[in-house]
Amino acid sequence: MSRNLLFSEYPMFDRIMEERPDLCRRVLETALGVPVDEVRNVVAERTLQPRVGSHGVRLDAWVRTSDALYDVEMQTYSREGLGRRMRYYQSAMDTAMLRPGATYDSLPESFIVFICLHDEFKEGLPVYTFDMICDESGSVVLGHGFKWVVLNASAWEMLPDGPLRGLLRYVATEEVGGDGLTADLAAAVEAANEDAPWREESLVMLTLEEDMRAQGRLLQKKGREEGLAEGRAEGRAEGRAEGRAEGRAEGRAEGRAAGRAEGADQLGKLIAQLMDAGRFEDARRAATDAEYREELLEELDS
């Protein structure tokens, strides 16, 4: 018997945010701690490409109100470079909003919210808020018009009783608290899970994504192990043949191992990029087809 999807799993999260703009607004208000105007439009899985041939980004929920723009992301596993990811998301959002001939003042206020199941910054905080300030004078206001917030659901118990504690607790545990938001989210999740065809299709996509991620991790591990073994063997052989010192042989070996590990890491990152873009078939083929993998690396690097 198949299971139900959780709110934190991206097909469910995207569906709730898109189909229930009222709940989306309340999630944003709770995450940011400020009032949010009536939501005019929510687009799930919105893909932005700043220019032709550039790296595209896929936003979980792109939200428009009368006076602001929001991107809210659900992240269920740790990923490298979150800060630069948010920087690129911000640039893509701004590029999409600023039309030819428009002044910079026409850029709306914007917010990026990441709801994470893990502590991305390893400081144990439930909330990380990022804004731009002047190092030399706190009285200088830049007026840049954006703010980034990263929520760490694993630290929900550190928060005082209130809506944010309830939301992060629900994300982390699926336990509904006494607040109305989590009860309404749970009801919406239950109703969506009753759509059996959609649920089954979503579970297949989640399984494929996890398989690709696991395959990438195995390839990385295998590449490191094989590279280290080959490097040591080659280093010892060369050392015996050339009479070089053991230390120099080990140095060459570690260099070869590092090179092979770098190649394996590159493959893992390529697979992660393809999955982020929803290109699951390309990710599966890249794992086994070296020539096709090189084509994809050239495409994504261009």
Side-chain angles (χ1 to χ4, degrees), residues 14-287:
D14 292 352
R15 175 166 175 160
I16 298 299
M17 293 298 98
E18 188 169 44
E19 292 188 352
R20 294 291 304 273
D22 57 320
L23 291 179
C24 180
R25 180 184 61 79
R26 291 164 65 188
V27 167
L28 285 170
E29 286 188 334
T30 300
L32 296 170
V34 296
V36 173
D37 198 10
E38 181 180 358
V39 172
R40 292 183 172 182
N41 179 251
V42 183
V43 180
E45 298 294 314
R46 171 73 182 271
T47 298
L48 298 179
Q49 192 168 16
R51 59 180 176 79
V52 176
S54 67
H55 180 76
V57 296
R58 186 182 63 181
L59 308 181
D60 283 354
W62 163 281
V63 184
R64 293 292 308 274
T65 66
S66 62
D67 58 356
L69 180 66
Y70 303 83
D71 169 41
V72 56
E73 303 282 325
M74 179 67 72
Q75 185 159 300
T76 58
Y77 60 95
S78 294
R79 304 173 68 171
E80 295 181 358
L82 181 60
R84 279 179 165 74
R85 175 179 292 272
M86 297 178 81
R87 168 183 163 184
Y88 194 74
Y89 280 22
Q90 183 70 57
S91 66
M93 291 165 62
D94 288 343
T95 302
M97 294 304 300
L98 195 63
R99 301 303 179 190
T103 64
Y104 295 114
D105 288 341
S106 65
L107 282 172
E109 296 289 309
S110 64
F111 302 83
I112 298 177
V113 178
F114 269 71
I115 305 174
C116 303
L117 268 65
H118 305 90
D119 187 355
E120 294 296 324
F121 304 107
K122 308 297 189 266
E123 291 291 328
L125 300 175
V127 181
Y128 299 91
T129 302
F130 301 94
D131 206 342
M132 293 184 67
I133 60 172
C134 177
D135 288 342
E136 290 74 22
S137 173
S139 64
V140 174
V141 179
L142 181 59
H144 51 286
F146 67 81
K147 181 174 289 188
W148 303 345
V149 175
V150 178
L151 302 178
N152 169 25
S154 68
W156 66 268
E157 292 178 293
M158 294 185 60
L159 289 167
D161 287 339
L164 184 57
R165 176 187 171 100
L167 174 62
L168 295 191
R169 177 189 178 190
Y170 178 63
V171 169
T173 68
E174 294 293 314
E175 295 177 3
V176 177
D179 61 293
L181 174 58
T182 56
D184 290 344
L185 287 173
V189 168
E190 182 179 1
N193 273 314
E194 292 176 357
D195 182 350
W198 170 82
R199 186 184 70 241
E200 294 304 320
E201 180 181 353
S202 298
L203 288 170
V204 169
M205 293 298 293
L206 285 171
T207 300
L208 178 59
E209 181 176 342
E210 181 55 36
D211 285 348
M212 292 294 98
R213 194 173 297 119
Q215 188 174 21
R217 290 193 296 264
L218 288 173
L219 286 169
Q220 286 180 323
K221 180 179 179 182
K222 183 179 179 182
R224 292 190 183 99
E225 292 174 349
E226 290 180 351
L228 186 58
E230 285 183 28
R232 284 175 176 164
E234 291 175 9
R236 285 194 296 270
E238 290 180 9
R240 287 193 297 268
E242 300 174 13
R244 290 189 174 93
E246 181 180 350
R248 293 180 63 188
E250 289 182 357
R252 288 195 303 274
E254 292 301 326
R256 293 188 185 93
R260 290 178 173 82
E262 183 179 352
D265 287 340
Q266 185 182 49
L267 174 58
K269 290 177 181 178
L270 172 62
I271 290 176
Q273 282 184 278
L274 293 170
M275 289 191 299
D276 283 346
R279 297 170 61 177
F280 298 106
E281 290 304 320
D282 285 339
R284 182 182 297 277
R285 182 176 172 186

